[in-house]
Amino acid sequence: MNISLNHANDLQGRLTVVVSEADYQEKVAAKLKDYRKKANIKGFRPGMVPPALVKKLYGQSALVDEINHLLGHAVSDYIKENKLNLVGEPLPAVEEADAIDWEKDTEFTFHYDLGFHGDFSVDLAKMKPVTSYEIKADKKEIEETIENLKKQFGDQIHPDAVEDRDLVFGTFTQGEWVEKSAIPLHSIQEKSKKIFIGAKKEDTLKFDIDKVFVDAKSLALATGKKEEEVADLTGEVSYVVEDITRQVPASLTVEFFDKVLGPGKATDEKSFREQLATIVDENYKREANYLLRIDAEKAILDQVKIDLPDAFLKTWLVRINEGKFTPEQIDQDFDNVKKDIRWNLIKNEIAEKFDVKVEYAEVVEKAKDMVRQQFGGYLSSDQPGIEEMIEKIAMGYLSDKSKGDNFMNLYNQAFSDKVSNAIVENIPNKTTKIDVEKFKEIAAAL
């Protein structure tokens, strides 16, 4: 077998593979011999089919299979051995392949178009510094957090009369149409809230159903209909109030502290506020670190230039998508595709420099963390058998092939996280102290 590479330029080339009869003859003959032993052809006993007939029936498919096997290994090995800076995948020259006469030819020539990326290096230490934000939650932020938590962990009561922000349960009636309903007061227009406020259980309210709700979605939720159906709801309806629910903010009690922080973590308001301030600071620290990761990625992409074979990549994208996208559609998103390719090349370079590796146990732990997040606050490590249950669910997720390659998805996430950590730890940065409001403005602008 003869393999040669001809560079059209620094970013494109053509790989030529010539397969001679000596490369495949022995293995094709062995395959046909095996076919003869197993062939079940009418009129012949097993193993007694004439070799000429076996060759006529199976010779071409055996030849094609063997040559495809040879090509796959030859092209892959050549790329690895020569450490080619490939982007995309080798593209077989279809027209030349279609011109092959499999019945008559004994020597076969195949061509593959290749795309290369230009040489580049990533030296994080020499990058321009990126900004690292240090956010300290002030008293106002702590108070707002406490008020939100009091609402979140508050109690429900059933008052005698409706007030703003209540949830009203009742029944719509209009002619033969009768519908049970739950109406949150925030879904009612301000000017129409006076219809509901002050109403008591068993009161009958009358209003034009198409004029009181803030939008079609709110009307649909209140009536149990689809958004596209609510246009038919018009005119006056009767609404009988059957119950009123109000969320009352929790009080600063030990029971409330236990719900927010966990049992026994705070015994009075002072210790609760101290621990909550620490949690809020840690949350903002994570958000600041996430923002640093994004800014570092942008900085690296701006400063590390990588030449890419545009023409080859566009052809490759059209080919691998098998007609799902036109060349015009590929052009529209091509800059983003190139950005993703460049970033993957950079990530791999950084991973190699800092010896970033992901172990199997780390992927399992990531799956377990995902399970914990899905259950939210309903799981506690103190519950008997809870860790065994989490691990069982996680392992089931990783082995579930019906939903794609879950293992590789989490592996890639873990790999990206570790590369990002390596970047954050090694790229120059300057710390800037800012308040919460300023940080929110910066984060919102991303």
Side-chain angles (χ1 to χ4, degrees):
M1 187 181 303
N2 182 32
I3 305 178
S4 59
L5 176 60
N6 179 37
H7 281 274
N9 52 51
D10 290 340
L11 301 177
Q12 283 190 247
R14 172 163 278 204
L15 189 68
T16 300
V17 183
V18 180
V19 182
S20 65
E21 191 171 13
D23 297 319
Y24 62 80
Q25 188 176 44
E26 186 177 332
K27 289 190 176 180
V28 169
K31 279 190 177 183
L32 292 177
K33 188 176 181 180
D34 188 51
Y35 287 164
R36 187 179 180 226
K37 291 177 183 177
K38 300 175 182 177
N40 186 9
I41 299 175
K42 190 175 180 180
F44 297 95
R45 286 181 294 159
M48 299 303 293
V49 182
L53 180 58
V54 172
K55 184 175 181 180
K56 181 178 180 181
L57 293 173
Y58 305 110
Q60 186 169 317
S61 64
L63 175 63
V64 172
D65 286 347
E66 179 56 30
I67 287 183
N68 282 334
H69 177 77
L70 287 170
L71 285 172
H73 284 283
V75 172
S76 177
D77 292 345
Y78 184 89
I79 291 169
K80 289 178 183 177
E81 290 169 5
N82 290 275
K83 297 180 180 179
L84 301 181
N85 295 332
L86 233 58
V87 289
E89 298 163 358
L91 287 179
V94 178
E95 291 184 6
E96 288 91 332
D98 289 343
I100 291 174
D101 188 335
W102 292 99
E103 291 185 0
K104 295 180 180 178
D105 294 345
T106 57
E107 183 174 275
F108 304 93
T109 301
F110 300 90
H111 302 284
Y112 296 86
D113 291 319
L114 307 180
F116 310 100
H117 63 78
D119 292 332
F120 70 98
S121 63
V122 183
D123 190 342
L124 294 178
K126 294 182 179 179
M127 294 284 169
K128 295 177 182 177
V130 293
T131 302
S132 174
Y133 296 102
E134 184 179 314
I135 311 111
K136 184 71 176 176
D138 56 19
K139 186 176 179 180
K140 177 187 174 185
E141 182 73 14
I142 299 300
E143 291 303 321
E144 288 179 355
T145 302
I146 290 175
E147 289 304 311
N148 289 333
L149 288 169
K150 285 166 67 176
K151 292 176 184 178
Q152 181 182 342
F153 291 96
D155 296 319
Q156 285 187 350
I157 63 171
H158 300 275
D160 293 330
V162 177
E163 292 183 6
D164 200 4
R165 312 306 295 180
D166 285 350
L167 179 64
V168 183
F169 294 87
T171 301
F172 283 113
T173 303
Q174 187 187 62
E176 296 182 358
W177 177 57
V178 178
E179 186 71 45
K180 291 281 186 183
S181 171
I183 303 176
L185 259 287
H186 65 75
S187 70
I188 301 298
Q189 295 182 38
E190 286 297 325
K191 65 181 181 180
S192 298
K193 285 183 179 179
K194 60 185 178 182
I195 299 170
F196 292 85
I197 291 175
K200 299 180 179 180
K201 294 177 185 177
E202 300 184 4
D203 281 357
T204 298
L205 312 179
K206 293 184 180 293
F207 51 85
D208 288 339
I209 193 169
D210 53 322
K211 295 180 180 178
V212 300
F213 288 91
V214 294
D215 53 30
K217 183 178 180 180
S218 297
L219 177 54
L221 290 172
T223 57
K225 292 183 177 293
K226 296 178 180 178
E227 279 191 58
E228 57 267 26
E229 297 173 342
V230 297
D232 297 331
L233 295 176
T234 59
E236 187 178 79
V237 296
S238 295
Y239 186 79
V240 178
V241 178
E242 296 169 356
D243 193 15
I244 306 163
T245 298
R246 182 177 302 157
Q247 193 80 10
V248 179
S251 299
L252 294 178
T253 62
V254 173
E255 183 182 3
F256 171 68
F257 304 154
D258 288 347
K259 286 180 180 178
V260 175
L261 301 176
K265 297 292 179 65
T267 57
D268 54 31
E269 185 176 337
K270 181 182 178 183
S271 60
F272 171 73
R273 288 178 177 277
E274 288 173 351
Q275 290 191 56
L276 188 63
T278 300
I279 292 171
V280 171
D281 283 342
E282 285 298 319
N283 287 340
Y284 279 118
K285 186 176 180 180
R286 280 194 294 271
E287 290 188 34
N289 188 58
Y290 175 70
L291 187 59
L292 175 59
R293 287 170 57 172
I294 293 175
D295 288 343
E297 178 180 331
K298 288 180 180 178
I300 293 169
L301 280 167
D302 287 342
Q303 296 175 58
V304 177
K305 305 301 180 185
I306 307 175
D307 292 328
L308 295 174
D310 289 8
F312 170 84
L313 285 174
K314 289 179 181 180
T315 302
W316 173 68
L317 289 167
V318 171
R319 183 90 66 89
I320 64 169
N321 283 290
E322 299 177 338
K324 294 177 184 176
F325 300 102
T326 64
E328 291 74 23
Q329 290 171 320
I330 296 293
D331 279 340
Q332 289 176 2
D333 199 42
F334 190 60
D335 285 343
N336 289 328
V337 172
K338 287 174 65 177
K339 179 180 174 182
D340 288 343
I341 291 172
R342 287 174 56 225
W343 182 240
N344 281 325
L345 291 170
I346 289 168
K347 277 200 306 185
N348 291 335
E349 177 76 7
I350 292 171
E352 187 174 344
K353 278 193 173 185
F354 294 96
D355 195 28
V356 173
K357 295 176 182 176
V358 176
E359 303 295 337
Y360 175 79
E362 293 175 286
V363 181
V364 172
E365 192 57 39
K366 197 164 188 66
K368 289 164 70 174
D369 285 342
M370 182 188 69
V371 174
R372 293 186 186 101
Q373 290 170 11
Q374 287 176 341
F375 279 96
Y378 293 98
L379 295 181
S380 170
S381 57
D382 298 333
Q383 293 172 265
I386 198 67
E387 286 302 317
E388 290 82 355
M389 186 193 78
I390 290 172
E391 183 163 0
K392 183 178 180 181
I393 296 173
M395 296 306 293
Y397 174 81
L398 291 175
S399 60
D400 186 359
K401 298 298 182 184
S402 67
K403 297 180 181 178
D405 198 336
N406 293 336
F407 181 88
M408 282 309 301
N409 289 337
L410 288 184
Y411 175 92
N412 289 333
Q413 288 179 30
F415 177 77
S416 293
D417 288 345
K418 294 187 83 169
V419 171
S420 292
N421 290 339
I423 291 171
V424 168
E425 290 168 6
N426 291 279
I427 196 169
N429 66 82
K430 53 184 180 181
T431 301
T432 299
K433 293 183 179 182
I434 58 174
D435 60 28
V436 171
E437 292 304 318
K438 184 62 178 177
F439 177 75
K440 287 180 178 178
E441 288 179 20
I442 295 170
L446 291 177

